[in-house]
């Protein structure tokens, strides 16, 4: 069984209008999944269904073998699925960084000695060891969001769900957070599900899921997804910058290996211009 199994899930807030409709999704351990879709398509709701914050009206969500319908599993699921939200200011609870990171494990009843180890691990994973005794409110947006991620990592989750977690950050802060998340995925094998509207953040994912009107409209590798330019635009989504460049180069007659270019391919294609 996959680490996260979403089976025929439907959900509504008012018991009338379904905002998630018959969604099926299997996420394997270590995958990096990007979820995209226009505003109101149901992405955040899906994130809340992943960690049991909302329960499906129909269907099943199983995390590492634990069903969200089973009251006794709540605790196990919360430990396994950490969610980082958009606004870091709403996620930081303490006036000193280390207390903030300790908050989650303390609530889970982790022994004092182990909490110290977890703070060390989490702060070092996000590159914020030096800020252990700092005041969160005095940090930059990117630093605050890295502390929010450390708070989630201190619970040792198997799945990290990022719900537009870079949306309020400047480009530098966004890069800091993305670098940390990529490293966690590659080195610690943390499974990542990143909801984003920055198409550039999607390109390196293993798999992209496009949500439209509460349904999975498309699923595939970034190259497979962005090759369907008109379909993507039809869902109200932008193409990544590199796909626009590829489109323009093709119009100029430059032959390309792919519709999505990495930096080297882009440089080669530009050099091929006469
Ligand atoms: P997205 O994250 O893609 O912007 P959401 O999951 O936030 O989409 O919202 C999906 C739909 O559910 C929207 O129509 C939104 O208005 C509605 N919705 C979201 N949160 C609530 C809520 N707490 N109560 C009622 N409706 C909600």
């Amino acid at each position: 069984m996959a680490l996260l199994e979403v089976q025929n899930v439907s959900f509504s807030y008012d018991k009338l209008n379904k905002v998630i409709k018959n969604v099926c999704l299997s996420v394997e351990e270590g995958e990096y999944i990007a979820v995209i879709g226009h505003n109101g398509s149901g992405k955040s709701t899906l994130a809340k269904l992943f960690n049991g914050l909302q329960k499906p009206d129909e269907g099943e969500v199983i995390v590492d073998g634990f069903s969200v319908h089973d009251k006794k599993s709540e605790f196990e699921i919360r430990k396994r699925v950490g969610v980082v939200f958009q606004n870091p200011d709403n996620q930081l609870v303490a006036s000193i960084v280390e207390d903030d990171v300790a908050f989650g494990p303390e609530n889970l009843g982790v022994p004092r000695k182990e909490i110290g180890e977890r703070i060390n691990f989490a702060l070092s994973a996000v590159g914020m060891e030096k800020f252990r005794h700092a005041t969160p409110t005095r940090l930059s947006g990117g630093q605050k969001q890295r502390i929010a991620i450390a708070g989630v990592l201190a619970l040792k989750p198997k799945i990290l769900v990022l719900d537009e977690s870079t949306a309020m950050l400047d480009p530098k802060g966004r890069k800091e957070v993305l670098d940390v998340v990529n490293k966690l995925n590659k080195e610690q094998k943390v499974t990542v599900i990143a909801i984003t509207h920055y198409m550039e953040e999607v390109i390196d994912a293993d798999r992209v899921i496009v949500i439209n009107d509460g349904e999975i409209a498309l699923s595939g590798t970034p190259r497979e997804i962005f090759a369907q330019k008109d379909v993507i635009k039809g869902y109200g989504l932008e193409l990544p910058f590199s796909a626009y460049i590829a489109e323009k180069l093709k119009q100029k007659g430059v032959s390309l290996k792919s519709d999505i270019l990495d930096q080297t391919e882009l440089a080669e294609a530009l050099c091929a211009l006469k």
Side-chain angles (χ1 to χ4, degrees):
M1 188 185 266
L3 181 57
L4 173 67
E5 286 280 355
V6 178
Q7 298 164 347
N8 305 96
V9 164
S10 295
F11 174 81
S12 69
Y13 286 98
D14 56 8
K15 305 290 164 209
L16 281 173
N17 305 297
K18 283 187 183 176
V19 294
I20 297 296
K21 300 169 189 164
N22 201 31
V23 164
C24 294
L25 178 67
S26 281
V27 180
E28 298 292 338
E29 190 147 19
E31 268 196 289
Y32 193 128
I33 300 211
V35 181
I36 56 176
H38 62 75
N39 275 347
S41 57
K43 305 179 299 297
S44 283
T45 306
L46 210 49
K48 290 178 193 136
L49 287 158
F50 291 158
N51 82 337
L53 218 58
Q54 295 288 5
K55 303 275 192 300
D57 298 327
E58 293 161 40
E60 177 68 286
V61 176
I62 301 170
V63 179
D64 206 11
F66 294 96
S67 160
V68 291
H69 289 303
D70 183 356
K71 197 92 188 80
K72 293 196 291 291
S73 297
E74 218 165 76
F75 196 60
E76 298 301 328
I77 290 173
R78 292 285 157 81
K79 271 199 297 196
R80 283 167 173 78
V81 187
V83 187
V84 180
F85 295 98
Q86 192 177 93
N87 189 345
D89 291 327
N90 295 344
Q91 297 170 80
L92 304 178
V93 289
S95 55
I96 298 171
V97 163
E98 67 173 354
D99 293 345
D100 205 280
V101 178
F103 184 77
E106 271 169 1
N107 274 337
L108 285 181
V110 173
R112 192 70 231 164
K113 182 177 170 293
E114 201 186 322
I115 288 181
E117 288 162 14
R118 287 191 184 207
I119 295 172
N120 293 342
F121 152 77
L123 286 178
S124 119
V126 300
M128 290 291 287
E129 307 94 314
K130 281 197 216 127
F131 295 87
R132 190 179 179 123
H133 302 292
T135 309
T137 47
R138 305 185 73 159
L139 302 174
S140 72
Q143 288 172 330
K144 280 186 204 167
Q145 199 60 305
R146 280 150 69 197
I147 297 301
I149 294 176
V152 168
L153 287 180
L155 302 174
K156 300 229 165 158
K158 291 191 168 203
I159 305 175
L160 186 58
V161 179
L162 302 160
D163 186 358
E164 305 261 12
S165 307
T166 63
M168 298 185 78
L169 306 180
D170 60 16
K172 182 170 173 283
R174 196 174 306 144
K175 183 169 183 320
E176 282 172 22
V177 169
L178 287 178
D179 287 349
V180 161
V181 172
N182 278 323
K183 197 166 146 234
L184 287 167
N185 176 250
K186 299 281 170 300
E187 293 175 14
Q188 312 269 349
K189 305 284 173 249
V190 175
T191 305
V192 174
I193 303 176
I195 297 170
T196 181
H197 65 263
Y198 291 105
M199 294 303 141
E200 308 309 316
E201 293 182 6
V202 172
I203 287 173
D204 295 325
D206 296 316
R207 191 152 48 116
V208 184
I209 309 270
V210 180
I211 305 288
N212 188 57
D213 200 12
E215 292 176 303
I216 296 188
L218 293 175
S219 165
T221 64
R223 284 175 196 252
E224 284 165 359
I225 297 293
F226 292 120
Q228 305 175 58
K229 294 194 193 76
D230 294 337
V231 180
I232 288 292
K233 287 178 193 164
Y235 289 132
L237 297 168
E238 306 242 323
L239 289 175
F241 179 61
S242 57
Y244 275 116
I245 303 244
E247 205 173 13
K248 296 283 170 217
L249 288 170
K250 273 190 170 172
Q251 284 164 8
K252 282 196 160 276
V254 179
S255 74
L256 301 172
K257 283 191 270 192
S258 159
D259 282 338
I260 310 272
L261 305 173
D262 63 26
Q263 284 184 8
T264 316
E265 288 165 340
L266 181 59
E268 282 168 4
L270 289 172
C271 289
L273 276 179
K274 299 252 165 24

